[in-house]
């Protein structure tokens, strides 16, 4: 099933509203569900020293890992504007660390879902943990 549950959208929207983005004025919210059914959320957190900005996806993933979970089942990202707010390249790689190529990435705005991709769609032929699995 590719349709995200309503809870995932609502949690992403709540995170979107908590965004700290005074410099870009571009709030982003993210909610992820783990394979065990737990939810974690994140928003973008900007900084006067611009390059220190944290993306919403990075914030959500850090919440998840800090709570001891490491497997993303699906993820919902909310942004604004005409263009789909797909995860930036760095965040695709961050998601890759804790997901599979079939993991669903839902993209929406404050009104709801706009598109769904798999991680494999957004980051094909990825470098990941499997690259570092080698026998001594
Ligand atoms: N941003 C995210 O939070 N996630 C992304 O994947 C793309 C960009 C944020 C970072 C910055 O605060 C704002 O969007 C504009 O780049």
């Amino acid at each position: 099933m590719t349709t995200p549950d309503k809870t995932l959208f609502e949690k992403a929207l709540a995170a979107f509203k908590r965004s700290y983005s005074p410099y870009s004025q571009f709030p982003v919210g993210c909610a992820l569900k783990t394979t065990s059914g737990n939810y974690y959320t994140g928003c973008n957190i900007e900084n006067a020293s611009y390059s220190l900005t944290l993306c919403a996806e990075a914030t959500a993933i850090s919440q998840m890992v800090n709570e001891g979970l490491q497997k993303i089942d699906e993820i919902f990202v909310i942004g604004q504007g005409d263009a789909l707010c797909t995860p930036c390249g760095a965040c695709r790689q961050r998601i890759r660390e804790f997901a599979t190529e079939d993991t669903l990435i839902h993209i929406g705005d404050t009104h709801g879902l706009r598109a769904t991709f798999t991680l494999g769609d957004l980051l094909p032929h990825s470098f990941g943990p499997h690259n570092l699995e080698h026998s001594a």
Side-chain angles (χ1 to χ4, degrees), residues 19-30 42-47 50 53-59 77-78 85-92 94:
S19 165
Y20 177 74
S21 44
Y23 306 109
S24 71
Q25 302 285 331
F26 189 84
V28 182
C30 173
C43 60
N44 53 335
I45 305 172
E46 298 187 345
N47 194 282
Y50 294 168
T53 292
L54 297 174
C55 282
E57 298 91 327
T59 313
V77 180
I78 291 180
C85 185
T86 49
C88 74
C91 285
R92 294 176 197 203
R94 289 192 176 99

Side-chain angles (χ1 to χ4, degrees), residues 52-126:
L52 298 182
T53 292
L54 297 174
C55 282
E57 298 91 327
T59 313
I61 288 169
S62 69
Q63 295 279 323
M64 175 188 75
V65 175
N66 187 54
E67 293 293 325
L69 295 172
Q70 301 184 349
K71 287 186 178 160
I72 300 172
D73 186 36
E74 55 185 324
I75 188 162
F76 202 131
V77 180
I78 291 180
Q80 61 190 19
D82 290 339
L84 291 175
C85 185
T86 49
C88 74
C91 285
R92 294 176 197 203
Q93 187 68 33
R94 289 192 176 99
I95 295 166
R96 167 68 186 90
E97 189 71 19
F98 302 107
T100 72
E101 63 180 13
D102 299 322
T103 299
L104 297 180
I105 301 179
H106 307 287
I107 310 299
D109 58 20
T110 55
H111 303 292
L113 180 67
R114 294 183 62 194
T116 295
F117 302 97
T118 65
L119 178 62
D121 292 330
L122 299 182
L123 193 67
H125 309 293
S126 66

